[in-house]
Amino acid sequence: MKEQKTEMERPNIVLIMADDMGFSDLGCYGGEIRTPNLDSLAEGGLRFTNFYNNALCSPTRASLLTGVYPQQGGGGSNSTKMQNCVTLADVLKTAGYHTLMSGKWHHHQDAGLPVERGFDRFYGLISGCCNYFNPGKQRPGENKPGKKMSFPEEKRMRPWAIDDKVIKPFTPKDKNFYTTDAFTDQALEYLDRYGSDDKPFFLYLPYTAPHYPLQAWPEDIEKYRGEYMGGWDELRQRRYERMVEMGIVEKQWGLSPSDSPPWDEVDNKEAWDLQMAVYAAMIDRMDQNIGRVIEKVESMGQRDNTLFLFLSDNGSTAEDFHFTPDVSPGPMESYHTVDQPWANMSNTPFRLYKFFNHEGGISTPLIASWPGCIDEDGALTHQDGHIIDIMATLLDVAGAEYPDSISGQRIVPLEGKSLLPVLQGERREGHKALYWKTGNSRAVIKGGWKLVQFGDEIASVSEEQGPWELYYRPNDRCELNDLAADRPDKVEELSRDWDIWNCRCSEERKGR
Ligand SMILES: [Ca+2]
């Protein structure tokens, strides 16, 4: 660890999030996708191997911004309200930060706009996902942009906002518009404008990549064409072996059984190759853009005093819809998902996907880089952490206080705990227990134990809900050996804990 400064200078903060990106997609987590800029943050910082999100876009964003479970703060399943709570932007603004956001918001309309929740400036998407090349209407001389046809007509135009002005439809004039590039362009403009005065800045940059629709620039897709002809069986095995070698996962956990048909028996291998090549290109492009942000912060002479955090909001998704069967993935006119077999590879070595509280749904990379504070040795930490901890961590590094109320209204007490000791190479006292509820999927982690229930309510709009499954995490993070029948005492204890937590959230949600 570097010598502690007697009085730590308040750092700038750059919080970057990917959307629907699997646990093993990044190079520095064992993936074959080229992510040199994120890898460079990892080489100069710390990677978490046991960090958790809320398995779904909006609930993760709510916990990240508020430091509490979404069930405590007004509820809403994939459209969170964030009531009775403050946001990172509220507290950092009070502490004297510029609060800047460019990217995806995705909360219930009762949550208000970002500029109503503490952000000085906002540019980006208000809803969940959009066409990367044109979120709005068909432009003259062009084909129709691909849309999510399962949505009713009025929801296919995705609302955007610039500060307090909502724009719908948002039809960019620039034919070189691409969301990942545009979010970054705006972020760099903010840094030009606000990055050089004596106030520190907080930049929240939640990209939509690599969430569907699969759309990317041709030159990025070209880099990956043919790379996936080896198939998911072989590539998944290779990822697993690299992860074991890198120390990201333990060999004794094994590799969960494949959910996919054997690659040898698959038709249309080239179409499958293209699907994954576009997904990889979207992550590659995000990494290129993160490189632009790092370069900007360096050029401002602020790199040593800037904390970068990078994570994903949920695991890769097995959702499967293809609204443009005649247009292959890639261009503006297309609308495709990456599908279960490749999502299964993205979540190597874990089971299940976005929406599920099994490890494939809730495990995320977390990279932390802060040259002025974090030892630059590319270390891994296996300590548990959860997105509710980001608020507590940023309060800690900014020397800010969590308030009791906002605008005279009492708020939910902070649930998360600071990760700063972990960033400084120490062992922190972790959570007694962590909890999840995503539709009818549920989980609790307590010490070495994890109790989890398969739930398919949101994923496929069925009512399917499995029995409680019990796993001993030190030996079995891949959740392959269910001990529920052997340890009914543990099932009883942890399920009771979950019920108590659920009741507490319900009371807090009602403001009691
Ligand atoms: Ca997501």
Side-chain angles (χ1 to χ4, degrees):
M1 196 179 79
K2 286 198 169 170
E3 197 182 326
Q4 279 294 109
K5 293 171 188 169
T6 44
E7 213 172 303
M8 201 196 302
E9 206 179 333
R10 288 186 310 170
N12 304 302
I13 297 158
V14 180
L15 175 58
I16 308 174
M17 192 153 66
D19 199 348
D20 288 19
M21 189 192 79
F23 185 66
S24 67
D25 283 327
L26 301 180
C28 55
Y29 275 79
E32 70 294 322
I33 301 171
R34 268 81 77 192
T35 53
N37 294 296
L38 284 164
D39 297 354
S40 78
L41 292 181
E43 278 158 25
L46 183 69
R47 276 164 296 163
F48 287 70
T49 62
N50 284 262
F51 203 79
Y52 292 108
N53 55 39
N54 284 340
L56 190 57
C57 301
S58 188
T60 284
R61 284 152 216 277
S63 280
L64 185 75
L65 284 172
T66 63
V68 302
Y69 293 108
Q71 291 82 5
Q72 294 174 279
S77 64
N78 200 18
S79 181
T80 44
K81 295 182 180 174
M82 298 198 293
Q83 303 297 294
N84 312 329
C85 36
V86 290
T87 70
L88 285 172
D90 288 322
V91 295
L92 292 172
K93 187 175 186 164
T94 305
Y97 275 70
H98 293 292
T99 52
L100 313 165
M101 175 176 176
S102 182
K104 159 171 159 174
W105 180 240
H106 201 178
H107 299 286
H108 192 277
Q109 62 182 16
D110 290 356
L113 292 171
V115 292
E116 296 167 313
R117 299 307 300 263
F119 285 98
D120 296 328
R121 303 297 309 273
F122 172 74
Y123 169 87
L125 177 66
I126 294 298
S127 66
C129 62
C130 70
N131 190 298
Y132 283 74
F133 292 105
N134 178 5
K137 283 185 165 168
Q138 182 177 12
R139 294 179 291 212
E142 278 189 351
N143 295 323
K144 277 190 174 171
K147 298 279 186 217
K148 194 169 185 178
M149 300 306 280
S150 52
F151 278 172
E153 180 73 37
E154 76 276 8
K155 280 189 78 182
R156 288 181 210 156
M157 284 305 160
R158 313 302 265 159
W160 276 56
I162 298 174
D163 299 324
D164 59 355
K165 188 174 163 208
V166 176
I167 305 166
K168 186 181 171 185
F170 176 74
T171 309
K173 288 197 181 75
D174 181 4
K175 298 218 171 155
N176 286 317
F177 180 94
Y178 182 77
T179 48
T180 309
D181 300 336
F183 295 145
T184 313
D185 291 345
Q186 185 61 65
L188 298 188
E189 262 186 62
Y190 288 153
L191 295 189
D192 275 336
R193 175 143 180 209
Y194 302 102
S196 302
D197 61 16
D198 53 1
K199 283 170 82 169
F201 61 84
F202 165 55
L203 170 64
Y204 176 38
L205 184 55
Y207 290 109
T208 51
H211 195 298
Y212 59 77
L214 293 179
Q215 292 173 339
W217 291 113
E219 64 267 32
D220 292 324
I221 300 170
E222 202 46 47
K223 294 186 207 171
Y224 293 92
R225 272 319 292 270
E227 189 153 339
Y228 294 99
M229 289 299 284
W232 41 70
D233 301 321
E234 187 187 321
L235 286 160
R236 191 166 175 265
Q237 179 67 29
R238 273 200 234 148
R239 280 194 182 193
Y240 169 66
E241 285 167 9
R242 275 195 301 271
M243 295 175 93
V244 170
E245 197 180 319
M246 293 165 81
I248 307 272
V249 299
E250 288 186 31
K251 195 169 185 183
Q252 62 162 331
W253 299 341
L255 173 62
S256 65
S258 169
D259 280 350
S260 315
W263 179 254
D264 287 346
E265 296 170 16
V266 167
D267 295 331
N268 302 325
K269 287 189 172 59
E270 290 190 357
W272 279 110
D273 170 70
L274 175 64
Q275 245 168 274
M276 187 60 200
V278 179
Y279 176 90
M282 293 162 81
I283 292 176
D284 187 301
R285 191 72 180 191
M286 176 180 68
D287 184 78
Q288 294 173 46
N289 275 288
I290 291 168
R292 295 171 64 206
V293 180
I294 298 170
E295 203 178 317
K296 168 64 78 179
V297 172
E298 275 169 1
S299 74
M300 292 158 56
Q302 295 284 343
R303 183 65 192 92
D304 272 3
N305 192 39
T306 299
L307 167 62
F308 276 84
L309 293 169
F310 173 88
L311 73 167
S312 176
D313 70 338
N314 48 254
S316 192
T317 182
E319 288 165 283
D320 175 351
F321 39 79
H322 299 271
F323 295 123
T324 59
D326 300 330
V327 188
S328 298
M332 178 195 68
E333 296 87 343
S334 66
Y335 207 108
H336 296 271
T337 45
V338 74
D339 295 349
Q340 180 168 318
W342 290 127
N344 191 202
M345 181 181 79
S346 282
N347 297 337
T348 303
F350 302 132
R351 285 174 54 201
L352 294 166
Y353 309 92
K354 175 184 180 180
F355 301 107
F356 295 96
N357 291 166
H358 289 74
E359 295 289 295
I362 62 174
S363 301
T364 173
L366 174 66
I367 303 170
S369 167
W370 179 9
C373 179
I374 301 175
D375 203 3
E376 297 182 40
D377 63 355
L380 293 170
T381 178
H382 304 301
Q383 293 184 58
D384 285 336
H386 186 280
I387 37 173
I388 54 174
D389 296 335
I390 300 294
M391 165 70 91
T393 307
L394 298 190
L395 288 169
D396 214 356
V397 303
E401 293 285 327
Y402 187 82
D404 299 325
S405 62
I406 185 164
S407 310
Q409 191 193 352
R410 197 169 65 85
I411 60 168
V412 178
L414 180 59
E415 187 83 11
K417 300 176 81 158
S418 176
L419 297 163
L420 186 58
V422 187
L423 302 187
Q424 293 175 325
E426 293 158 17
R427 185 132 206 109
R428 75 163 182 167
E429 193 185 325
H431 292 270
K432 190 159 170 270
L434 289 166
Y435 302 93
W436 288 264
K437 180 184 185 187
T438 311
N440 60 356
S441 186
R442 304 189 284 180
V444 49
I445 280 178
K446 190 180 183 186
W449 296 96
K450 178 172 177 184
L451 190 70
V452 60
Q453 194 162 25
F454 179 97
D456 202 11
E457 184 179 54
I458 303 179
S460 71
V461 204
S462 79
E463 294 293 313
E464 190 180 345
Q465 187 179 39
W468 284 117
E469 303 162 31
L470 180 71
Y471 300 100
Y472 188 61
R473 302 165 69 223
N475 301 343
D476 185 21
R477 190 167 166 210
C478 289
E479 302 166 322
L480 301 177
N481 185 20
D482 181 3
L483 300 171
D486 300 331
R487 293 296 304 269
D489 58 317
K490 277 283 158 201
V491 175
E492 169 70 23
E493 176 194 333
L494 270 67
S495 62
R496 198 178 337 110
D497 287 342
W498 192 94
D499 287 337
I500 292 167
W501 168 79
N502 192 42
C503 283
R504 172 166 70 87
C505 290
S506 172
E507 292 298 306
E508 287 177 343
R509 191 162 62 239
K510 291 170 194 156
R512 285 175 195 157

